[in-house]
Amino acid sequence: MLTLVKRIFKDNIGIFVYVYLIQIVLRILKSLVDDAVILKTVYGLWIMIVATLLVFYSTYNLYRLVYTRKNFFYYTLKYSLSQVLLVAASVQLVLNFVFYLTYCEANLTEVGGKFLSLASYFMLVTLLLYVTRAFKYKKIGRNVFLLSLVFLLGSYATFYYNVIKDRVGDRAFGIGFTTDSVKDGIDHVYMNIIPTYLVNIKERDLNFLMTTTNVINIFIITVGLLMYIAIRKIKINW
C-alpha cells in the first residue's frame, strides 16, 4: 500500500509544488505591502481561481484514473480499482488542503471546516466515479457522473443559501474568497468546495451556520464511505 501511495503522490504533486511556491511568494509580498489595495485584490483573485482550478484538476485526475487506461502502473498492482481510487482521492484531498494552509488565517474552526468540505467533495466524486464506471457504456457513465456531480453541488449550494438567507439575509453573504480577516468582520464558511464568506454577523448566527455546514459535510462523508464500502462488491475491471 505504501508503494501505491508514494506513486500516486509522485504522479500528482508536480503542479501543486509550483503553485505552493508561487502562493508563498505572493503571501510574503502581501504581508510586506499589506496596504496595497490592488495587490490584495489580485491576491484574492489568485486564491479563488487557483483553488478552483486545483480542485478541477484533481477531479480530472480521478476521472482519468477510472475511465482511461493511461495509468498502466496501477493495473499491475494487486489492489482493486475501489482501493486505488480511494487512495488517489485521499491524496488529492491532502494536496488541495495543503494549498489551503498556505493562505488561511490561524483559525482552527475555519481550517476544520475546510478539511471537511474537501473531504465531502472528494468522497462524493469517488462514489460517483465508481458507480458510473460500472455502466456498460463508458460514454453514458461519464455523462451521468458529470450531471450528477453538478446537480448535487448545485442542490447543496441552493439549500445552504436558503439557510443563510433565512438566518441572516442576503447582504451578509457572498460566494468566493476575500483576503479580509476576522478582525475585519469577515468569516469564511466552506460548504463542499464552494467557498462563502459572511460579513459582520452575530456570533450565534455564525456558530449555527458553521455547525450546519460541518454537520452536512460529515453526513456526506459518513454516508458516502458506507455506501462505497457496500458497493465494492461490484465487479469492475481495469
Side-chain angles (χ1 to χ4, degrees), residues 2-4 27 30 40 62 90 94 97 100 114 125 127-128 163 167 190 195 201 212 216 219:
L2 183 59
T3 302
L4 174 62
R27 181 158 187 171
K30 176 181 172 294
K40 288 180 65 175
L62 294 176
S90 300
V94 171
F97 185 64
Y100 167 75
K114 179 63 175 182
V125 169
L127 182 63
L128 289 175
V163 171
R167 189 79 182 190
Y190 299 96
I201 68 170
T212 299
I216 294 174
F219 176 79

Side-chain angles (χ1 to χ4, degrees), residues 209-221:
L209 294 173
M210 284 188 168
T211 301
T212 299
T213 189
N214 287 340
V215 168
I216 294 174
N217 285 329
I218 292 173
F219 176 79
I220 292 173
I221 295 167

Side-chain angles (χ1 to χ4, degrees), residues 20-99:
Y20 298 159
L21 292 175
I22 295 172
Q23 165 57 26
I24 291 171
V25 171
L26 288 176
R27 181 158 187 171
I28 293 173
L29 289 175
K30 176 181 172 294
S31 65
L32 293 176
V33 286
D34 193 46
D35 57 340
V37 177
I38 295 179
L39 181 59
K40 288 180 65 175
T41 302
V42 171
Y43 182 70
L45 288 174
W46 154 264
I47 291 175
M48 186 168 61
I49 293 172
V50 173
T52 303
L53 290 178
L54 287 179
V55 169
F56 287 159
Y57 174 73
S58 294
T59 304
Y60 173 72
N61 282 341
L62 294 176
Y63 161 82
R64 187 176 61 174
L65 172 66
V66 173
Y67 273 97
T68 72
R69 295 185 62 83
K70 295 181 179 180
N71 301 100
F72 182 78
F73 171 78
Y74 303 124
Y75 313 147
T76 64
L77 301 177
K78 60 182 179 180
Y79 305 107
S80 64
L81 174 60
S82 62
Q83 292 173 305
V84 175
L85 178 58
L86 191 60
V87 172
S90 300
V91 169
Q92 299 295 346
L93 164 61
V94 171
L95 292 175
N96 280 273
F97 185 64
V98 170
F99 175 68

Side-chain angles (χ1 to χ4, degrees), residues 223-234:
V223 173
L225 189 57
L226 291 175
M227 291 179 64
Y228 192 73
I229 293 173
I231 65 174
R232 285 190 306 166
K233 296 180 180 179
I234 298 176

Side-chain angles (χ1 to χ4, degrees), residues 51-229:
T52 303
L53 290 178
L54 287 179
V55 169
F56 287 159
Y57 174 73
S58 294
T59 304
Y60 173 72
N61 282 341
L62 294 176
Y63 161 82
R64 187 176 61 174
L65 172 66
V66 173
Y67 273 97
T68 72
R69 295 185 62 83
K70 295 181 179 180
N71 301 100
F72 182 78
F73 171 78
Y74 303 124
Y75 313 147
T76 64
L77 301 177
K78 60 182 179 180
Y79 305 107
S80 64
L81 174 60
S82 62
Q83 292 173 305
V84 175
L85 178 58
L86 191 60
V87 172
S90 300
V91 169
Q92 299 295 346
L93 164 61
V94 171
L95 292 175
N96 280 273
F97 185 64
V98 170
F99 175 68
Y100 167 75
L101 293 178
T102 64
Y103 67 80
C104 74
E105 300 292 337
N107 186 321
L108 291 179
T109 302
E110 289 187 7
V111 170
K114 179 63 175 182
F115 181 83
L116 289 175
S117 70
L118 285 172
S120 68
Y121 172 77
F122 284 111
M123 185 69 256
L124 188 62
V125 169
T126 302
L127 182 63
L128 289 175
L129 280 173
Y130 195 76
V131 169
T132 57
R133 181 62 178 82
F135 287 15
K136 183 177 180 180
Y137 300 104
K138 284 187 178 181
K139 185 175 181 180
I140 295 177
R142 287 195 297 263
N143 292 336
V144 171
F145 164 70
L146 291 173
L147 291 174
S148 299
L149 184 61
V150 172
F151 173 76
L152 290 173
L153 291 178
S155 299
Y156 186 10
T158 301
F159 167 78
Y160 195 68
Y161 170 74
N162 288 328
V163 171
I164 293 177
K165 184 178 179 181
D166 292 340
R167 189 79 182 190
V168 297
D170 290 327
R171 294 182 179 180
F173 168 76
I175 294 178
F177 177 83
T178 173
T179 55
D180 294 327
S181 61
V182 174
K183 66 181 180 180
D184 302 308
I186 302 295
D187 292 279
H188 293 92
V189 179
Y190 299 96
M191 50 175 184
N192 215 274
I193 59 167
I194 303 173
T196 61
Y197 60 88
L198 305 171
V199 184
N200 294 324
I201 68 170
K202 297 178 181 178
E203 185 175 355
R204 68 172 182 272
D205 292 330
L206 175 63
N207 292 334
F208 171 80
L209 294 173
M210 284 188 168
T211 301
T212 299
T213 189
N214 287 340
V215 168
I216 294 174
N217 285 329
I218 292 173
F219 176 79
I220 292 173
I221 295 167
T222 304
V223 173
L225 189 57
L226 291 175
M227 291 179 64
Y228 192 73
I229 293 173

